[in-house]
Amino acid sequence: MFNGSRKLEGIPRNIGLIKERVSRAAEKSGRKPEDITILAVTKTVGADRIREAINEGLADLGENRVQELIEKYPEFDDSVRWHLIGHLQTNKVKYIIDKVKMIHSLDRIELAEEINKRAEKLQKTMDVLVQINVARENTKFGIDPGDAVEFVKRVAQFKNVKVKGLMTIAPFVEDPETIRWVFSSLRKISVDMSKEKIDNISMDYLSMGMSNDFETAIEEGANIVRIGTDIFGSR
Ligand SMILES: *Cc1c(COP(=O)(O)O)cnc(C)c1O
């Protein structure tokens, strides 16, 4: 009773609102809210505020810079799962290979090769998502949609790298309706990919949708949404 009438503020309140919006969007697409992972994007956010988000039940944290990830990593125990969501330089793989649950930004074969080498040394398998530049923006990293199948087939050859799905960053727009096609295209690529029956890969995850567009992304099939601003405020 008391808890139900608790007046929430700040990060807990933001997360409560996001969870409601995620639930509604999930139901619209015929799925359950618990099928969708809310990944808290913690770039520029300090450990105390990150802890507030963890207290609200968010256990998946995303950083886009290696340096920031390795600085924050020791502040938390292994009940949280770190994800690398930004562009990854080949020479930095060694710093995160033992720390992250998944790399969302695999965008070139040399990177897959390096991840494979480092994972093999640790006798582990690294889960990755292939980043697709659906809107073919010059300013963004990612594999061209037309090259996606060939790329995944090549990555599938690496024994210690496991492709688990696809990721995209949609163009930033005022009205997310205008980029709905980006999300439906990524979904279509993943369906086509599944039909290829490539060994050693799965299409379990679609990581798409950010503060500005996550509901649209979920309606189009996202099961991981990466949210920073709507949780922690503007950076
Ligand atoms: C910063 C970032 C996000 C989160 O963006 P918000 O608009 O703050 O929600 C998601 N994905 C990637 C790759 C990012 O770099």
Tab-separated table of all heavy atoms in Angstrom, residues 10 30 177:
chain	number	residue	atom	x	y	z
A	10	GLY	N	12.985	11.444	-10.148
A	10	GLY	CA	14.275	11.214	-10.791
A	10	GLY	C	14.368	9.890	-11.520
A	10	GLY	O	13.429	9.495	-12.211
A	30	GLY	N	2.409	-8.059	-29.853
A	30	GLY	CA	2.081	-9.430	-29.461
A	30	GLY	C	3.125	-10.115	-28.611
A	30	GLY	O	3.271	-11.340	-28.646
A	177	GLU	N	8.118	7.957	-36.542
A	177	GLU	CA	7.365	7.287	-37.623
A	177	GLU	C	8.145	7.299	-38.938
A	177	GLU	O	8.034	6.370	-39.737
A	177	GLU	CB	6.005	7.973	-37.840
A	177	GLU	CG	4.922	7.534	-36.874
A	177	GLU	CD	4.772	6.022	-36.752
A	177	GLU	OE1	4.797	5.312	-37.774
A	177	GLU	OE2	4.660	5.545	-35.603
